């Protein structure tokens, strides 16, 4: 996911996507704890996507 893609979305769409990513992050942590995690790089990718989404959302709210 790129920041340019996020800028074209509405705040509601971004909040929905944030909730989806947080659920995925929880599931990945659970898989890691139980030893079932296959794609370890996905944890980092999801964490960065959440940060990117929060940054764009915060900037949109600050602008007005």
């Amino acid at each position: 996911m790129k920041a340019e893609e996020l800028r074209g979305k509405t705040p509601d769409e971004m909040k929905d996507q944030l909730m989806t990513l947080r659920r995925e992050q929880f599931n990945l942590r659970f898989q890691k704890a139980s030893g079932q995690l296959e794609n370890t790089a996905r944890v980092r990718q999801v964490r960065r996507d959440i940060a990117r989404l929060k940054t764009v959302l915060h900037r949109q709210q600050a602008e007005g």
Side-chain angles (χ1 to χ4, degrees):
M1 159 183 349
K2 298 201 180 246
E4 292 178 15
E5 297 171 9
L6 295 175
R7 288 187 192 110
K9 294 187 177 192
T10 65
D12 288 334
E13 289 174 335
M14 285 192 284
K15 288 177 184 177
D16 289 340
Q17 190 168 6
L18 181 61
M19 289 299 293
T20 303
L21 287 170
R22 292 242 170 132
R23 275 192 216 106
E24 183 178 355
Q25 184 182 35
F26 175 79
N27 290 332
L28 290 170
R29 283 195 319 242
F30 197 86
Q31 288 176 11
K32 183 179 180 184
S34 64
Q36 296 177 348
L37 184 62
E38 293 179 10
N39 186 2
T40 56
R42 184 67 182 147
V43 175
R44 182 178 183 181
Q45 188 179 22
V46 168
R47 188 176 69 235
R48 289 183 177 194
D49 284 347
I50 289 172
R52 189 173 295 117
L53 189 60
K54 287 175 72 175
T55 300
V56 172
L57 188 60
H58 181 72
R59 283 186 182 170
Q60 281 186 352
Q61 289 175 347
E63 288 176 358

